[in-house]
Amino acid sequence: GAIALNYIIGYFATDFDNKWICFLILQGVQIVLSMYGFHSIKWVESIISTVIILAMVYLFVLLVRDHSDVISQKWFQADGTWGWQFWAFIVGFLGNYAAIFLSAADYSRELKPGFSTGKRGLLYFSPIVIAYGTVLVIGAMLASATGNSSPVDAMRIIFANDQITLFVNVFIVLGVIAVNMVANIIAPAYVLQYLTKMKYKLAVVIVGLLAIATFPWVLVSPESSEGLGTFIHIYSAFLGPIVGILLVDYYLLRKQKIDVKWLYDDKGPFKGVNYAAFIALAIGAIPGLIWVDYSWFVGFLAGVPAYILASYLLRKTSKFSKGTIFENK
């Protein structure tokens, strides 16, 4: 986003070139917009999504028309394997995006009633598959054709038109703001608000400042990429078991039946700590940290049976067994 904004400002002020200032400007805008809640960006998201999809289609046509030879050479005649290194890459991808999916509860509070579970799942799943699939394929084609992994710089090469590049960069900036608000600011702000009971707007500001303190412009630099990948693999050792625990609890132990009122009853069965979940998380994370390159998969596979067994062993003492298949056993 900062690279795109830097290009936009440089287009009108040719002597300007400072991605760090652009990052701070973007972060300030994101903080202010996030203060007004989830719906403040909804209409912008709809416009941005439409324009970016059209830009992706146009980009795909240009790539196929003008660069198909080099793309096919690098894709179909490339050295390499679909072995362990490929799956290590997939773990990195899952580590990035599973965290967003695990925050679904922060977004589901905004859902409108009147949709069946199946229809809502289809409406949620289909666009994600289409959008991720499109962007991943075109992004890989773009990198193959230009040898540049930065989409902003690579698109500038392919479009070879300053006006079109400017137009697309404007929507990249808006898209970055929209994505970060939903995925990276509002969700942790809810958590901070819950833990400290502070006001929502103050929580947003603190989250925004903490984000600056992570120095993301350093993290995404080429010389830091290996370390960032390792970091993602390490925390994926915990995300894999968490996903497994959630799926097992909802689909297997509770048979997709949860009384929503229980979730908000401070004297109900969900009050307190589900020790079976923490035990399963620890059991799943240990092998994930040992085989860190495949941490998400290893953690998931270890966490699932661990949670089933722990829930069974603690069924008589845990309030969380209420409503599960272990309740009366």
Side-chain angles (χ1 to χ4, degrees):
I3 293 171
L5 182 59
N6 187 68
Y7 175 85
I8 294 167
I9 298 175
Y11 182 86
F12 296 102
T14 55
D15 59 338
F16 180 86
D17 185 15
N18 195 316
K19 299 180 182 67
W20 190 77
I21 289 178
C22 292
F23 169 80
L24 293 178
I25 292 172
L26 273 181
Q27 188 68 347
V29 171
Q30 289 168 165
I31 290 172
V32 172
L33 288 175
S34 297
M35 287 181 178
Y36 294 94
F38 191 89
H39 291 285
S40 65
I41 200 71
K42 184 171 68 173
W43 64 272
V44 179
E45 295 254 19
S46 300
I47 297 172
I48 292 168
S49 301
T50 302
V51 173
I52 287 180
I53 285 295
L54 292 175
M56 290 295 103
V57 172
Y58 177 58
L59 184 59
F60 178 78
V61 171
L62 292 180
L63 288 167
V64 172
R65 187 189 69 185
D66 301 330
H67 304 275
S68 56
D69 289 342
V70 66
I71 292 172
S72 61
Q73 181 181 1
K74 291 187 177 182
W75 277 28
F76 302 117
Q77 301 173 27
D79 295 330
T81 174
W82 287 81
W84 292 115
Q85 288 184 330
F86 170 78
W87 292 105
F89 167 80
I90 295 299
V91 169
F93 179 80
L94 282 170
N96 263 321
Y97 292 100
I100 300 175
F101 300 150
L102 287 174
S103 299
D106 295 315
Y107 318 137
S108 62
R109 68 178 72 186
E110 310 292 344
L111 295 176
K112 293 181 180 179
F115 290 89
S116 66
T117 302
K119 186 175 181 180
R120 193 183 298 282
L122 180 64
L123 290 171
Y124 188 74
F125 182 75
S126 298
I128 288 177
V129 172
I130 294 170
Y132 275 126
T134 301
V135 173
L136 281 171
V137 170
I138 295 176
M141 293 173 67
L142 191 61
S144 297
T146 63
N148 195 319
S149 61
S150 167
V152 177
D153 295 331
M155 281 195 291
R156 188 185 313 164
I157 297 170
I158 295 298
F159 287 138
N161 183 302
D162 290 342
Q163 286 71 38
I164 294 177
T165 303
L166 176 69
F167 179 75
V168 172
N169 278 331
V170 168
F171 281 90
I172 286 176
V173 169
L174 294 176
V176 165
I177 292 172
V179 169
N180 280 337
M181 282 182 58
V182 175
N184 301 326
I185 297 180
I186 292 179
Y190 283 153
V191 174
L192 189 60
Q193 184 185 20
Y194 171 78
L195 292 174
T196 64
K197 310 303 179 186
M198 68 173 60
K199 298 291 185 180
Y200 170 75
K201 290 185 177 181
L202 178 59
V204 167
V205 172
I206 292 175
V207 167
L209 295 176
L210 287 173
I212 296 173
T214 64
F215 298 100
W217 56 89
V218 176
L219 293 178
V220 298
S221 63
E223 57 269 20
S224 301
S225 59
E226 186 175 347
L228 179 60
T230 301
F231 173 68
I232 293 172
H233 282 187
I234 289 173
Y235 75 65
S236 295
F238 300 92
L239 294 185
I242 290 174
V243 172
I245 291 166
L246 290 174
L247 293 176
V248 166
D249 189 82
Y250 181 66
Y251 285 101
L252 183 61
L253 302 191
R254 300 186 186 278
K255 301 293 185 180
Q256 303 181 53
K257 295 179 181 179
I258 292 181
D259 189 337
V260 177
K261 294 179 181 178
W262 286 355
L263 300 174
Y264 299 93
D265 185 355
D266 58 6
K267 297 180 180 178
F270 288 114
K271 179 187 178 181
V273 177
N274 184 354
Y275 291 104
F278 276 96
I279 292 170
L281 175 59
I283 292 174
I286 290 172
L289 292 172
I290 294 173
W291 292 285
V292 71
D293 284 343
Y294 321 108
S295 55
W296 198 96
F297 293 110
V298 174
F300 179 88
L301 293 174
V304 165
Y307 184 60
I308 296 172
L309 180 60
S311 297
Y312 176 76
L313 295 176
L314 298 177
R315 67 193 183 282
K316 294 182 179 179
T317 58
S318 174
K319 292 192 302 179
F320 285 81
S321 63
K322 182 176 176 61
T324 71
I325 59 175
F326 297 140
E327 181 177 4
N328 299 316
K329 292 186 179 180

